[in-house]
Amino acid sequence: DVKVTQSSRYLVKRTGEKVFLECVQDMDHENMFWYRQDPGLGLRLIYFSYDVKMKEKGDIPEGYSVSREKKERFSLILESASTNQTSMYLCASSPPGGGSIQYFGAGTRLSVL
Amino acid sequence: DAKTTQPPSMDCAEGRAANLPCNHSTISGNEYVYWYRQIHSQGPQYIIHGLKNNETNEMASLIITEDRKSSTLILPHATLRDTAVYYCTGAGVGRSQGNLIFGKGTKLSVKP
């Protein structure tokens, strides 16, 4: 079974802090994704990566950056956390050519106070 | 991306078949229909996908109408663990189509 592990289930941070959300997958997948999920807004793509050191912006990249130094790890960085970044963050991975069959982690519920 | 319409909620008795409909009248010819579900406090889980033929796997069956404007996900023998929000979406294949867009989905409640 594919396993996508997110480092934290719950996180509380203060406004202005730099926040790192880590995601690791164990199936050697090329593709990795970061989404946020908010009530009434559904799933929104922040960034994705098709290979090590490659990244592409999704629909809502502002205020976020990512890092993919190793194939199995994809990190989401909130440069200066703000209250409107309070959300559920979901990481996903998929094999090459299977971009729409994605395997998700359990999510990190981030609260920015 | 295809916009989808699903009923907000459905109930199903345990052991019975759950039939979840989805309208996707704007789906384009090369877009597949994907179904995911999300159990409370977990990430979404892929269920099944199809283009125009009916599909079946160990989790579910997918029936797509001939005009591809709607589809039905069938859970043949629903269990309490199938209680979740079910999403259908249209998506292409390949490198550029990884952006999943979910609507509000259908909240399926399986009752004993």
Side-chain angles (χ1 to χ4, degrees):
Chain A
D1 274 353
V2 176
K3 191 157 186 188
V4 179
T5 303
Q6 295 185 230
S7 53
S8 306
R9 288 301 306 271
Y10 301 94
L11 213 50
V12 179
K13 296 292 181 181
R14 297 220 172 265
T15 303
E17 279 193 77
K18 191 167 186 175
V19 182
F20 293 86
L21 302 182
E22 305 287 345
C23 176
V24 178
Q25 50 94 3
D26 66 358
M27 282 301 292
D28 205 35
H29 284 170
E30 270 76 10
N31 309 320
M32 295 189 75
F33 308 83
W34 274 105
Y35 294 89
R36 63 179 283 179
Q37 187 175 33
D38 301 287
L41 296 176
L43 215 58
R44 291 181 292 169
L45 183 65
I46 304 171
Y47 267 97
F48 57 102
S49 169
Y50 287 122
D51 204 347
V52 175
K53 297 194 186 296
M54 290 181 64
K55 60 184 178 184
E56 294 191 37
K57 294 179 180 179
D59 296 326
I60 51 163
E62 295 78 20
Y64 303 95
S65 62
V66 290
S67 172
R68 186 130 182 240
E69 295 297 317
K70 293 186 176 180
K71 192 175 187 180
E72 67 270 19
R73 186 179 298 270
F74 193 34
S75 303
L76 179 70
I77 303 152
L78 285 65
E79 297 291 344
S80 176
S82 63
T83 55
N84 63 12
Q85 292 178 310
T86 291
S87 186
M88 169 69 88
Y89 289 88
L90 291 160
C91 174
S93 74
S94 72
S100 295
I101 300 177
Q102 296 181 20
Y103 300 87
F104 284 82
T108 296
R109 187 166 292 283
L110 173 67
S111 296
V112 182
L113 306 178
Chain B
D1 292 306
K3 288 190 169 36
T4 59
T5 305
Q6 299 177 257
S9 64
M10 292 181 66
D11 289 343
C12 177
E14 189 177 18
R16 305 297 293 268
N19 298 294
L20 295 100
C22 177
N23 288 322
H24 36 76
S25 57
T26 59
I27 196 169
S28 65
N30 63 351
E31 280 189 310
Y32 284 68
V33 178
Y34 283 79
W35 282 82
Y36 280 76
R37 72 180 182 184
Q38 190 168 20
I39 295 168
H40 183 62
S41 296
Q42 296 184 23
Q45 177 189 24
Y46 165 78
I47 302 173
I48 197 167
H49 74 286
L51 185 62
K52 50 186 173 183
N53 298 320
N54 298 337
E55 302 288 344
T56 295
N57 64 18
E58 66 278 4
M59 289 182 69
S61 295
L62 175 61
I63 309 295
I64 303 173
T65 58
E66 195 167 337
D67 62 9
R68 298 201 346 111
K69 292 185 177 181
S70 66
S71 62
T72 300
L73 179 76
I74 301 170
L75 308 178
H77 306 286
T79 71
L80 299 178
R81 287 183 297 180
D82 291 322
T83 292
V85 179
Y86 287 77
Y87 300 99
C88 72
T89 187
V93 290
R95 182 186 176 106
S96 63
Q97 300 298 327
N99 187 357
L100 290 175
I101 296 176
F102 291 164
K104 296 187 178 177
T106 296
K107 185 172 184 179
L108 175 68
S109 299
V110 180
K111 300 181 185 298

